[in-house]
Amino acid sequence: MRREDFNTGWKYRNVNDRQWREITLPHDAMLFEKRREDAPGTNAVGYFEGGRYIYEKTFLIPKEWEGDYLAVEFEGVYQHAKVYLNDTLVKVCEYGYIPFRAELMGAAVYGEKNVIRVEADNSDQPNSRWYSGSGIYRPVHLIHAGSTHIDWQGVRIKTLSYEPAKIQIRTSVTAETEVKIILHVTEAGSDTVIAKAEGTEAEIEIPGAKLWDEEHPHLYRCRVLLMENDTVLDEAEEEFGIRLVEWTEKGLFINGKETLLKGACVHHDNGVLGAATYDKSEERRVRLLKKYGFNAIRSSHNPAAEGMLRACDKLGVYVMDETWDMWYGHKNKYDYADAFMENYHSDINAMVERDYNHPSVIMYSIGNEVSEPKDEKGVQLGREIVEYVHKADDTRPVTAGINLMVIDMASRGKGVYKEEGGRSDQEKAKKRKAKKTKASGSLFFNMMTSMIGTNMNKMANSRHADEVTSPILDALDIAGYNYASGRYPLEEKAHPGRLIIGTETFPMDIARNWEMVKKYPYLLGDFMWTGWDYLGEAGIGAWTYTADGASFDKPYPWLLADVGALDILGDANGEAYYAKTVWGLSDKPYIGVRPVNHPGIRVRTATWRGTNCFASWSWSGCTGNKAEIEVYADAARIELLLNGKSLGKKKVKAYKTLFRAKYRPGKLEAVAYDASGRETGRNTLVSAREDLRVSVLPEEEKVKAGDIIYIPVCITDQNGIVESNMDKKISVSVEGGTLLGFGSARPCTLESFVTGEYTTYCGRALAVVKAGEGDKVRVYVQAEDLGSAEHWIDIVQ
């Protein structure tokens, strides 16, 4: 089958707006909607409005294609998608996160122009617990093949063994006559055949094979030829890695090597691009997460984009691909629960068929914090889902993110979510707000805060929680625990043979959790919430210096969760470096500074963040302010020096120590010592000079036509040091390309990523530009009071 780009030539409109706008897919319609205080999706979706959208494209279907197979593949449409060809309904897909195909043969007019129309409905709010985006937010492809063809996703490649390296290739075809299948295996990027076979099912041994894992993500390519006599009727290509996953009571093994997962939970949006999915964006995110030590990603809480899977294949990052955030029980009034029972089989099929040949996908998760397993009906459904996944794919284990506290409370009739959707505390919170009491935040916020860390674990440790969750946990190949690390040491005795994994944990617990991962063979890894900040769930991780930071549900105009080891721009903070240090991957101490520009104001901390420090000693106008400095190192002691003067030495506990000092610009230096007093490493931070300017700092100097470029825009001195206390509104314009998004990591704002104007946050902002077809892209920026700057980027054809 031929799979062609089908992303250009589209137009779209909101059903309430008669004006059509020409666009290129992918496209997040929600990002262009208004944000308002009374948005029914509330802080969960960042106060964006939903809507109903119509997309159309006119295209020619050649006369000679009559009788052939023809379809359009959508990688993701949010949500309730209906696809029409020439006003004939050809496909419906309810779920917003799975790929699907709309077959066109029955409605196509050959030799003439045809009109494909897609309707997406995200108007019923609330329907998500995070920013979902709207419309055709993932890429689209046209699929064409002759009447005799290799079926779509009809080539399955399975690793049978790694010593020797042996694979099985199964091919399904649609053919009316006798045909022959020829299989050629090459290294990815090469045309040299290193192994070959024939038949719809074949086993091939690959001599001198290079195995795939996180350290050596070696990829092969299988080319499948469908032959009739000497004529090639169809062909397909699949990349794959030789990678065998095994899980026993002794641990998780990749090609026989014990593997511990250093995991990041990740939502699907791409920051200033909204939910729009580009391969470059997915690869950049995977690359940066791996840079800071993460070797695994949990796609929270829906199937990952295919671009992310390709990036993980290429870069060597393991994936836990997750299906849903709910089953048949609502978490929001208009969420997927009502459509779940009718569609969950097809959802599983869509995910597994797409994932099967991706070596990065090493396990599936069948849900996140569902409360249905509180009773036998829910447990039985869980068992059925596990069995169904096993039948679809017997090469990978099945897990789920089970919150023992949530199921325990639901079994007692005190569930977090109401039957019709929405949190059970919300009505009480509204009444409190109406009475204008002094109680801040909601009952849920207060409950979760009181149960943070060890207190939440104590609830998970109870006998009743164990009893009510064991049926679903035992139905899984690997029991996934959300916020239940207190159970880790208990399970060897309580549940011998049970494999467990921390599917969701607090980032501040990484040192304690990782010690247990190394200690207990049955504990396979840890996934922190979260690896990357995201839109929606506004403010759940924010450390704030304003009164509105007291509540769990942050008020308008809060936009970002303000949580994560990396912010929405991809800049790492203390949590990333702390994890990297704990994992033994850092060769020098890290210096993180909590913001020093709020003198005398007590910070309000949040549940899902352990620190708000980041690597900056550049705070103009803050001389004399109190500074709190965190230093992370695998060392016995840390000495801190400011402008050459020692601020003392301190013992390191759990890989970190805290210093307090008065801010003075200059040079801040940390020196690490082992127990014998020998220096093991040092690091420095330097303040920016007074010659500040706006700087355009593209991550690439050359880009292919049509590809996207990430371009940090920062307030710096002449040496490139970013000033953290000099934020300015910046405008961006582009020639020779298109500005896709521009913004900063400011968590609470009235600004928009689509206007070309945004205020920096701690001196930083980010532009994302799509290159045109010419020779160069010109990016011009202007900052209030700081003048302008420009940068030219070469376009290569």
Side-chain angles (χ1 to χ4, degrees), residues 511 578 582 633 652-656:
Y578 186 46
V582 168
V652 176
K653 297 180 180 179
Y655 301 93
K656 62 184 175 182

Side-chain angles (χ1 to χ4, degrees), residues 34-43 47-48 433 555-557:
K34 295 179 181 178
R35 298 176 66 221
R36 56 188 176 92
E37 186 174 6
D38 61 345
T42 68
N43 72 306
Y47 297 96
F48 279 93
K433 184 176 181 180
Y556 179 83

Side-chain angles (χ1 to χ4, degrees), residues 71-118:
V72 174
E73 178 204 26
F74 297 87
E75 290 190 26
V77 179
Y78 200 91
Q79 62 175 340
H80 305 309
K82 294 181 179 179
V83 183
Y84 298 83
L85 185 66
N86 303 320
D87 293 324
T88 298
L89 181 66
V90 294
K91 184 66 178 180
V92 174
C93 181
E94 295 290 342
Y95 195 30
Y97 293 109
I98 57 167
F100 65 92
R101 279 172 298 135
E103 296 183 341
L104 307 183
M105 295 85 74
V109 179
Y110 297 92
E112 299 183 20
K113 290 186 176 180
N114 291 247
V115 178
I116 187 169
R117 183 172 83 251
V118 180

Side-chain angles (χ1 to χ4, degrees), residues 28 44 144 191 441 574 718 778 785:
D28 177 7
H144 170 244
D191 293 326
Q718 65 177 1
R778 176 182 181 255
D785 303 325

Side-chain angles (χ1 to χ4, degrees), residues 514-531:
W514 195 247
E515 288 303 312
M516 290 189 284
V517 170
K518 292 188 293 183
K519 180 178 180 179
Y520 303 118
Y522 54 85
L523 178 58
L524 308 184
D526 178 274
F527 286 79
M528 72 163 63
W529 192 269
T530 178

Side-chain angles (χ1 to χ4, degrees), residues 129-187:
R129 296 192 304 113
W130 55 86
Y131 178 86
S132 61
S134 295
I136 309 177
Y137 69 99
R138 288 179 176 171
V140 179
H141 308 275
L142 183 68
I143 301 168
H144 170 244
S147 57
T148 297
H149 58 265
I150 300 166
D151 294 336
W152 177 243
Q153 294 176 330
V155 179
R156 284 196 166 197
I157 305 168
K158 176 180 179 179
T159 298
L160 299 176
S161 65
Y162 52 89
E163 289 182 349
K166 183 181 291 187
I167 60 172
Q168 177 192 73
I169 303 174
R170 291 182 175 179
T171 306
S172 61
V173 301
T174 296
E176 297 178 356
T177 60
E178 187 173 338
V179 293
K180 181 169 67 172
I181 298 291
I182 296 177
L183 308 168
H184 289 165
V185 175
T186 69
E187 294 197 35

Side-chain angles (χ1 to χ4, degrees), residues 2 106 198 228 246 258 293 307 317 334 384 394 407 579 612 626 646 707 747:
R2 288 186 292 275
E198 293 186 10
E228 185 178 49
E246 298 172 288
E258 184 180 15
V317 173
Y334 298 109
E384 193 279 332
D394 62 359
I407 293 179
N612 66 342
K626 176 184 175 181
S646 177
D707 205 352

